[in-house]
């Protein structure tokens, strides 16, 4: 990854950690799920409502933790706020695959700003931080089945 691209990605993460998208009261959604990363104390509660057409109509989260976990939840909420359940589950799997790649290859374009977290894949202890909100969303979507 080029130095310019790494700097751009760093800016995306910092911007989302300072100005989180989708942060609010998750209990206002139909399905909620709480995730905790016991190794660092990061935690997040996700709230999701899926409409009859299978699209996410409400995606809201609250939590506390490092800039990686909070920015990742923000990027995810921004990107998937109106996605279909199937699209959201597909993006979650793509994000998971990207983080497991240890930074090898190019992330899919469908990940949009979430590609900024590719560099996190090089640091095993940070992968759980980046995945925290995505795992919580996946649990909510599975509840909505």
């Amino acid at each position: 990854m080029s130095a310019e691209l790494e700097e751009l990605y760093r800016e995306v993460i910092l911007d989302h950690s300072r100005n989180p998208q989708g942060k609010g009261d998750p209990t206002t959604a139909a399905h909620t799920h709480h995730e905790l990363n016991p190794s660092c104390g990061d935690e997040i509660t996700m709230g999701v409502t899926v409409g009859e057409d299978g699209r996410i109509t409400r995606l809201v989260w609250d939590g506390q933790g490092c800039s990686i976990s909070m920015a990742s939840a923000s990027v995810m909420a921004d990107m998937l706020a109106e996605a279909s359940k199937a699209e959201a589950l597909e993006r979650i799997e793509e994000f998971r695959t990207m983080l497991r790649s240890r930074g090898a290859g190019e992330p899919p374009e469908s990940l949009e700003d979430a590609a900024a977290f590719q560099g996190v894949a090089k640091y095993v202890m940070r992968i759980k931080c980046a995945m925290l909100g995505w795992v919580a969303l996946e649990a909510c979507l599975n509840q909505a089945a």
Side-chain angles (χ1 to χ4, degrees), residues 49-136:
T49 302
V50 176
E52 289 184 22
D53 62 355
R55 297 194 82 69
I56 295 171
T57 59
R58 182 144 181 79
L59 193 160
V60 64
W61 63 275
D62 194 19
Q64 60 183 12
C66 69
S67 60
I68 299 287
S69 64
M70 298 297 100
S72 183
S74 174
V75 167
M76 179 203 62
D78 194 35
M79 181 173 77
L80 299 177
E82 297 177 357
S84 71
K85 180 180 172 183
E87 290 166 338
L89 290 170
E90 189 175 328
R91 294 298 91 72
I92 292 166
E93 193 53 39
E94 288 172 346
F95 189 72
R96 183 178 282 125
T97 299
M98 178 188 72
L99 290 180
R100 289 181 178 160
S101 75
R102 301 279 177 123
E106 291 296 316
E109 286 184 29
S110 57
L111 285 179
E112 301 173 16
D113 281 349
F117 295 89
Q118 183 181 28
V120 172
K122 298 174 188 173
Y123 307 99
V124 176
M125 293 302 293
R126 302 303 254 160
I127 292 173
K128 280 188 175 184
C129 298
M131 280 299 303
L132 199 63
W134 299 74
V135 170

Side-chain angles (χ1 to χ4, degrees), residues 1-15:
M1 184 181 324
S2 73
E4 295 86 21
L5 191 55
E6 281 187 35
E7 181 59 31
L8 174 66
Y9 282 171
R10 219 175 280 120
E11 286 301 316
V12 167
I13 291 170
L14 287 173
D15 183 50

